[in-house]
Amino acid sequence: MQSKNLLINSDNLDAMKALHLKNCQVDLVYIDPPYNTGKQMGKYSDSFPSHADWSNFMRPRLQECYLLMKDGATIFISISHHELSRLMSLCEEIFQEENFISLITWQCKYTIA
């Protein structure tokens, strides 16, 4: 089967649902969800009223990712420490704990000791 390249300009949840309805499947997912830092990022507010609200925002998106992924597919997720523990819990619930491979930590700020 020939691979197709497709660009969709949409809310990611709506786009994933549409792809799922068309029986599309992917080998790789990379997502960069809101970090819930409480900061204003230009026109975008990176703030949720609570951690539960953030989790409720993320759960359906991760579930749709799971449905779109082929067997053996890989997902990479960028996140900060603000929601890391909740993201890990959601991923264990949706993708199963035994499928976790690794956590990569990037030090983005340097200090002088």
Side-chain angles (χ1 to χ4, degrees):
M1 185 169 125
Q2 184 178 352
S3 296
K4 295 181 181 179
N5 295 318
L6 182 62
L7 176 62
I8 300 172
N9 184 7
S10 171
D11 175 88
N12 62 356
L13 184 57
D14 294 339
M16 288 188 292
K17 286 180 178 180
L19 291 170
H20 182 231
L21 289 174
K22 293 185 176 283
N23 295 316
C24 294
Q25 289 198 300
V26 299
D27 295 308
L28 174 69
V29 173
Y30 171 77
I31 59 174
D32 187 17
Y35 291 6
N36 201 16
T37 62
K39 296 179 182 176
Q40 189 70 27
M41 312 290 244
K43 294 180 182 180
Y44 171 72
S45 175
D46 187 27
S47 182
F48 287 79
S50 70
H51 296 295
D53 289 322
W54 183 89
S55 292
N56 290 334
F57 172 84
M58 287 302 299
R59 180 175 277 107
R61 285 158 174 79
L62 292 171
Q63 289 169 329
E64 284 298 323
C65 281
Y66 178 78
L67 293 173
L68 283 174
M69 293 170 69
K70 293 178 183 177
D71 286 341
T74 303
I75 184 168
F76 292 91
I77 307 171
S78 293
I79 198 69
S80 73
H81 65 280
H82 294 96
E83 296 296 349
L84 177 60
S85 63
R86 279 159 290 281
L87 177 63
M88 292 291 293
S89 293
L90 285 170
C91 286
E92 286 178 6
E93 170 191 324
I94 295 164
F95 299 103
Q96 305 305 310
E97 182 179 4
E98 62 271 12
N99 290 316
F100 176 79
I101 296 173
S102 183
L103 176 68
I104 300 169
T105 303
W106 172 58
Q107 183 177 341
C108 63
K109 293 183 180 179
Y110 297 94
T111 59
I112 298 174

